[in-house]
Amino acid sequence: MERLSKTIKAAGKTIGFVPTMGFLHEGHMSLVRAARQENDVCVVSIFVNPTQFGPSEDFDSYPRDFQKDKKMLAEEKVDVVFCPTVKEMYPNVTLSQTPPDIIPPKNLTACLCGAFRPTHFQGVAQVVDIFFHRVKPDRAYFGQKDFQQTVIIKWLARKAHLNIDIRVLPTIRESDGLAMSSRNVYLKPKERKRVIILFQALQLAKELYENGERNPQRIERKISNLISQNFLTSRNQEMKLQYAEIRDAETLQSIHEIKHPAVVAVAAIIGKTRLIDNIVLG
Ligand code: PAF
């Protein structure tokens, strides 16, 4: 991959890079199309990165379908599909001893999802840093659905002086509003019907904001109540709201008034599935 990237760059061509963990859906494909349009060469990686999963998380059961992914990428005429093994990504020592070269700051990694997945973003920064050095992209593409991840990757690109344009594209949704995610496949039919409440809560936040509400705590309370009430009325389904928070969209810090762009982010567990979603206000 490194040799290929060097050859492409030496020929004066630009590289657009879409890192993925596979099990591709329309969300990924929208990134792939943008990368193809905006660059001479499009590289897509498929790698389920073990360092971003906690010990009790779904690394082993994370959905994988390499043949289908390859077919989808071929249909979009992707130039390079880069699928390294764990050993190729982390060659020097055993995985548990592989220290990340770059550690993102706690103020970005400890809040929101980081409060529930303490080592997750360190693992993401580690693997994306390795990919960026191997693929050497001019532009890299990420979905807004993983909002906190995009903030941390922008920090990484700045910090490591990588001169990569980090492009964040809108969340792609199912027809009822559910954000597309590889993990949606875990949802049982009854759960699938229920999870739409997360999107509805974000719509409520947007409506309150558009009607002039600028107090984040009041919006948080209303959307948390909406989600929790819905979860309480569901029988035999384990549902738990992890957070519904409004934070500064650039720094991820808590705010007392919405004056600048702010992210409304939610995370919930439904049965065995952890889902996240967000919108940006202002
Ligand atoms: O968003 C993802 O799928 C992953 O976190 C990423 C960026 C491919 C790193 O493993």
Side-chain angles (χ1 to χ4, degrees):
M1 185 70 242
E2 283 187 30
R3 251 197 328 264
L4 184 56
S5 298
K6 277 187 190 149
T7 314
I8 294 167
K9 307 284 282 207
K13 292 184 175 168
T14 57
I15 300 179
F17 175 46
V18 185
T20 82
M21 297 207 300
F23 211 70
L24 303 177
H25 50 68
E26 224 4 72
H28 297 111
M29 298 321 282
S30 72
L31 306 180
V32 168
R33 277 177 217 121
R36 264 198 25 87
Q37 261 169 30
E38 296 173 0
N39 303 278
D40 298 315
V41 176
C42 172
V43 178
V44 177
S45 66
I46 298 179
F47 179 66
V48 185
N49 172 37
T51 71
Q52 71 188 72
F53 288 80
S56 57
E57 293 184 353
D58 56 344
F59 173 70
D60 289 331
S61 59
Y62 193 84
R64 292 160 170 92
D65 190 343
F66 184 57
Q67 292 312 322
K68 184 160 170 250
D69 290 346
K70 244 183 15 181
K71 195 161 165 264
M72 286 169 79
L73 296 174
E75 275 163 17
E76 284 300 331
K77 302 191 169 45
V78 163
D79 302 287
V80 182
V81 183
F82 179 33
C83 315
T85 62
V86 172
K87 198 106 197 101
E88 283 164 340
M89 286 299 277
Y90 305 109
N92 297 331
V93 278
T94 64
L95 193 57
S96 60
Q97 296 166 326
T98 306
D101 285 334
I102 190 152
I103 297 177
K106 280 252 174 322
N107 59 326
L108 298 183
T109 59
C111 60
L112 302 173
C113 286
F116 298 86
R117 309 183 73 191
T119 57
H120 172 65
F121 290 113
Q122 192 169 304
V124 170
Q126 179 182 31
V127 78
V128 172
D129 185 42
I130 298 172
F131 272 126
F132 280 175
H133 282 92
R134 303 230 166 128
V135 178
K136 306 184 199 324
D138 296 272
R139 297 181 191 86
Y141 296 78
F142 297 86
Q144 189 196 313
K145 195 194 82 123
D146 299 302
F147 191 87
Q148 190 171 8
Q149 168 170 283
T150 66
V151 173
I152 290 165
I153 287 165
K154 282 182 194 163
W155 171 88
L156 170 76
R158 270 198 314 273
K159 176 83 184 166
H161 304 287
L162 292 172
N163 202 17
I164 298 170
D165 182 9
I166 305 300
R167 306 267 291 114
V168 178
L169 300 194
T171 303
I172 304 294
R173 300 181 178 280
E174 303 286 354
S175 55
D176 63 355
L178 176 67
M180 288 197 185
S181 162
S182 304
R183 287 191 170 99
N184 289 352
V185 71
Y186 295 151
L187 292 168
K188 296 183 181 144
K190 272 189 186 164
E191 294 169 347
R192 172 64 188 82
K193 279 192 192 142
R194 287 258 171 196
V195 294
I196 197 58
I197 195 66
L198 295 181
F199 175 67
Q200 288 166 351
L202 295 176
Q203 292 308 297
L204 172 63
K206 185 166 171 245
E207 205 179 295
L208 292 165
Y209 177 80
E210 282 171 355
N211 289 335
E213 180 62 271
R214 293 292 181 270
N215 180 313
Q217 284 74 38
R218 269 203 295 268
I219 302 179
E220 285 171 359
R221 245 190 328 273
K222 284 187 179 151
I223 64 173
S224 298
N225 285 346
L226 177 73
I227 299 171
S228 303
Q229 273 164 19
N230 187 280
F231 283 8
L232 283 176
T233 55
S234 67
R235 287 202 205 109
N236 306 327
Q237 290 165 54
E238 254 183 67
M239 295 194 178
K240 206 161 155 266
L241 174 65
Q242 285 194 329
Y243 64 77
E245 286 187 38
I246 300 184
R247 286 174 176 257
D248 183 280
E250 244 180 60
T251 63
L252 299 184
Q253 295 311 291
S254 303
I255 46 174
H256 298 295
E257 191 187 349
I258 306 174
K259 286 198 256 177
H260 308 290
V263 61
V264 188
V266 294
I269 307 254
I270 296 99
K272 289 196 173 91
T273 316
R274 183 173 185 277
L275 295 179
I276 57 172
D277 202 351
N278 69 81
I279 52 163
V280 175
L281 301 178

